[in-house]
Amino acid sequence: MKSIIILCFLGICFSLNGQVAITEEPNISRLMNSYISQSRSSEYVQGWRIQLITTNDRRKMEAARSKCASLYPDLEAEWKHVSPYYQVQIGAYRTKLELQSFLLELKEDFPNAIPVMDKIRKVELLR
């Protein structure tokens, strides 16, 4: 009995010749086009970086930057001053999962390294 129903269903599906008409509401089309144009015009996306250190001592911040530069010369360590703290961050990742393996490696040299969300320029993600 089940096989007969399945065969009938398949017969109906194949008799449509693969022609399916999808009607999209004009408001939905307008919203999607607006979203696409805004996304293309935006220079930044929400992403992740690895924060090596947060300290209120500028010398410790500079020491962390120079240590990172000597251990990982291909990476650019950027620093921020968010009063009263100095923060050193590296990398640009779209998802947190992408940075996890490198974060484990970094923890050996920078035990306080943590993932942080940040606005990231799209061109940084393409490198």
Side-chain angles (χ1 to χ4, degrees), residues 85-108:
Y85 299 105
Y86 295 97
Q87 301 169 341
V88 177
Q89 297 177 349
I90 60 169
Y93 304 91
R94 182 166 298 282
T95 65
K96 190 175 180 180
L97 184 61
E98 292 174 6
L99 66 81
Q100 289 297 330
S101 61
F102 186 53
L103 179 61
L104 290 175
E105 182 182 330
L106 275 173
K107 288 268 191 187
E108 295 174 13

Side-chain angles (χ1 to χ4, degrees), residues 53-95:
I53 188 172
T54 301
T55 181
N56 58 1
D57 186 351
R58 186 177 176 111
R59 287 174 283 174
K60 287 183 182 178
M61 179 271 298
E62 290 172 352
R65 279 186 68 205
S66 63
K67 180 179 179 180
C68 180
S70 67
L71 293 173
Y72 305 97
D74 296 338
L75 291 177
E76 183 179 335
E78 299 177 1
W79 67 277
K80 294 180 184 179
H81 184 239
V82 182
S83 186
Y85 299 105
Y86 295 97
Q87 301 169 341
V88 177
Q89 297 177 349
I90 60 169
Y93 304 91
R94 182 166 298 282
T95 65

Side-chain angles (χ1 to χ4, degrees), residues 7-127:
L7 288 174
C8 289
F9 178 75
L10 291 175
I12 293 170
C13 290
F14 286 117
S15 67
L16 293 176
N17 293 327
Q19 297 176 358
V20 178
I22 297 174
T23 307
E24 186 176 71
E25 291 289 326
N27 289 338
I28 299 297
S29 297
R30 229 177 293 119
L31 283 172
M32 283 303 296
N33 290 335
S34 173
Y35 173 78
I36 290 169
S37 67
Q38 285 178 354
S39 178
R40 286 184 180 153
S41 67
S42 176
E43 186 179 342
Y44 294 92
V45 293
Q46 194 68 19
W48 292 86
R49 296 190 190 278
I50 298 174
Q51 188 164 294
L52 300 178
I53 188 172
T54 301
T55 181
N56 58 1
D57 186 351
R58 186 177 176 111
R59 287 174 283 174
K60 287 183 182 178
M61 179 271 298
E62 290 172 352
R65 279 186 68 205
S66 63
K67 180 179 179 180
C68 180
S70 67
L71 293 173
Y72 305 97
D74 296 338
L75 291 177
E76 183 179 335
E78 299 177 1
W79 67 277
K80 294 180 184 179
H81 184 239
V82 182
S83 186
Y85 299 105
Y86 295 97
Q87 301 169 341
V88 177
Q89 297 177 349
I90 60 169
Y93 304 91
R94 182 166 298 282
T95 65
K96 190 175 180 180
L97 184 61
E98 292 174 6
L99 66 81
Q100 289 297 330
S101 61
F102 186 53
L103 179 61
L104 290 175
E105 182 182 330
L106 275 173
K107 288 268 191 187
E108 295 174 13
D109 299 309
F110 299 95
N112 294 327
I114 58 170
V116 292
M117 288 188 84
D118 196 12
K119 278 186 172 180
I120 297 175
R121 291 182 27 237
K122 289 179 181 178
V123 294
E124 287 183 75
L125 292 173
L126 297 176
R127 293 182 200 164

